[in-house]
Amino acid sequence: MADGNSSDEDFSDDWVLYSCRPEWSDLEPLPQDDGENPVVMIQYSERFNDVFGYLRAVISRQEKSQRALELTKDAAKLNAANYTVWQYRRDILKALNADLYEELSYIGRVIADNPKNYQVWHHRRVIVEWLDDPSSELALTENILDMDAKNYHAWQHRQWVIKNYNLFEDELHYVDRLISEDMRNNSAWNERFFVLKHGGFTPEVLEREVNYVITRVGLIKNNESPWNFLRGLLQQGTGKLAQFPSVVEFCEALYNDGIRSPYLLAFLVDLYEEQYFDVIESGGNEAEAELFHQKVQDLCESMANQHDKIRSKYWRYIAENFRRKASEWATAGSGRNGV
């Protein structure tokens, strides 16, 4: 069944309309009320109208029974994205004091068929909370991520479970495997940062992770994911891009080797701008400051004209904004010196 879409495909050939079932003869189905003059009439299938007609009738009289629970299963088959179906199913589960482990197994199968459906993942979360048992969740999300390693819903559920039940212990090993399989998997890089943030960015962790990421950048230079991860790391510690000399040396070595990845060049723009203002603020060597100033200008021009032409206006704005800030700083500095 396609994610969240109405479908008759999951029903067996011997499935019988509720209107033809003797055990449902006590209930009159409620038709959908589209108003007197609907703009567009949706042509639902006979099965869809039948199931949801009886579901509306069940909800109307607040029937919470085993047959109503089974009815919600059929409704979910037809439209797994219907929030009311899942909410009423939860109401019935509570009223019947139903076996929640059986429900967990059921919703796991539904998720396998609808892995990008918000409502089914939310239902799963609620059942896990009621049970207070996360023991199956990492395996479930790993199976879903094996099908699509960038499934946002699976990652969201996995992070919720890990954070709420303190299951961080082996997560770095898991994401390291995913990154090794696909270094462009931005979701895995994000998960790595999530785990590291929980443990804290100590100097030792930062140094280890900086070495980890520059090794991966060295393998695929034009890969945005590890560059973003590197920037995230360097926002920790002192917050300076140049806080690790090894990063500066690595990036300049790439550039000197002829690498012109836009992610490398963008990083160097920010690095040299940072170094320019560090020299100026410390009253350092003017020639050194001017060198950084020129590097920023040259790199922005290179990005605008060759390596990121689709954002040429952006890079010219960055260059102009840098010149403006540098000029303002120079003017302020002259005032402080009494000139």
Side-chain angles (χ1 to χ4, degrees):
M1 179 166 63
D3 290 342
N5 294 327
S6 300
S7 172
D8 289 319
E9 296 175 1
D10 290 346
F11 292 84
S12 63
D13 293 337
D14 59 355
W15 187 89
V16 178
L17 293 172
Y18 283 82
S19 59
C20 298
R21 301 183 188 188
E23 66 271 26
W24 284 89
S25 61
D26 62 306
L27 199 62
E28 186 70 24
L30 291 179
Q32 179 166 303
D33 184 4
D34 290 323
E36 293 184 6
N37 299 296
V39 177
V40 178
M41 286 290 291
I42 299 175
Q43 295 299 309
Y44 296 113
S45 69
E46 181 184 20
R47 178 178 285 142
F48 190 98
N49 281 324
D50 177 73
V51 169
F52 277 89
Y54 277 89
L55 181 65
R56 282 187 287 269
V58 162
I59 294 174
S60 177
R61 73 178 196 178
Q62 286 295 290
E63 177 184 329
K64 297 181 176 71
S65 61
Q66 188 62 42
R67 73 172 186 174
L69 189 65
E70 292 303 311
L71 176 62
T72 62
K73 270 190 180 182
D74 281 345
K77 283 182 183 180
L78 290 164
N79 185 1
N82 188 309
Y83 177 84
T84 302
V85 170
W86 293 108
Q87 180 58 56
Y88 198 68
R89 183 174 179 84
R90 288 191 289 275
D91 292 344
I92 299 172
L93 290 169
K94 274 191 172 182
L96 298 181
N97 195 25
D99 183 343
L100 295 182
Y101 283 103
E102 184 178 320
E103 184 68 10
L104 205 62
S105 177
Y106 160 68
I107 193 59
R109 295 191 298 273
V110 176
I111 285 174
D113 289 336
N114 301 268
K116 295 184 178 180
N117 180 315
Y118 170 79
Q119 282 77 15
V120 299
W121 284 104
H122 177 69
H123 187 71
R124 177 88 183 190
R125 177 185 293 199
V126 173
I127 302 304
V128 170
E129 288 177 326
W130 287 356
L131 286 167
D132 195 27
D133 181 1
S135 59
S136 300
E137 303 315 289
L138 294 185
L140 170 74
T141 53
E142 185 170 344
N143 288 337
I144 298 300
L145 292 169
D146 281 344
M147 294 189 289
D148 177 3
K150 302 175 184 180
N151 183 321
Y152 169 79
H153 302 281
W155 280 116
Q156 185 182 50
H157 187 77
R158 190 177 182 92
Q159 287 193 357
W160 169 76
V161 170
I162 287 172
K163 183 176 181 180
N164 280 272
Y165 295 96
N166 196 28
L167 303 177
F168 288 91
E169 184 176 358
D170 297 320
E171 192 65 1
L172 276 184
H173 297 295
Y174 174 62
V175 295
D176 188 40
R177 175 172 69 80
L178 292 184
I179 289 170
S180 298
E181 292 171 356
D182 178 10
M183 282 185 285
R184 291 185 172 86
N185 186 345
N186 191 56
S187 298
W189 286 103
N190 178 71
E191 181 75 354
R192 189 175 188 90
F193 196 87
F194 166 76
V195 175
L196 293 170
K197 187 175 180 180
H198 169 77
F201 290 100
T202 64
E204 294 76 20
V205 168
L206 279 176
E207 183 173 5
R208 182 195 74 204
E209 292 300 310
V210 162
N211 291 332
Y212 177 90
V213 70
I214 63 177
T215 299
R216 272 73 188 167
V217 169
L219 295 173
I220 307 178
K221 284 81 173 176
N222 197 31
N223 180 2
E224 185 176 9
S225 297
W227 283 108
N228 289 338
F229 183 82
L230 177 60
R231 284 179 177 270
L233 287 177
L234 297 176
Q235 288 174 0
Q236 316 306 315
T238 66
K240 295 283 189 179
L241 295 178
Q243 63 182 287
F244 288 94
S246 59
V247 172
V248 178
E249 293 167 6
F250 172 74
C251 292
E252 290 186 329
L254 288 179
Y255 185 85
N256 292 334
D257 286 343
I259 303 301
R260 293 298 182 267
S261 161
Y263 311 115
L264 166 64
L265 301 187
F267 186 89
L268 288 173
V269 167
D270 292 339
L271 172 65
Y272 291 142
E273 179 173 346
E274 174 186 281
Q275 291 180 315
Y276 170 81
F277 285 111
D278 284 347
V279 172
I280 294 296
E281 290 174 14
S282 65
N285 187 288
E286 290 187 11
E288 184 182 16
E290 181 56 33
L291 178 62
F292 289 135
H293 190 287
Q294 190 59 49
K295 285 182 175 181
V296 171
Q297 298 301 308
D298 291 345
L299 285 168
C300 285
E301 195 64 19
S302 176
M303 290 287 270
N305 292 331
Q306 290 180 272
H307 305 293
D308 195 14
K309 292 192 287 186
I310 196 169
R311 299 197 301 163
S312 61
K313 290 183 179 179
Y314 168 78
W315 289 110
R316 292 197 171 94
Y317 163 78
I318 292 296
E320 176 58 33
N321 194 49
F322 169 67
R323 287 192 295 269
R324 178 184 57 76
K325 289 191 294 184
S327 177
E328 289 173 355
W329 182 265
T331 301
S334 297
R336 287 193 295 271
N337 293 329
V339 178

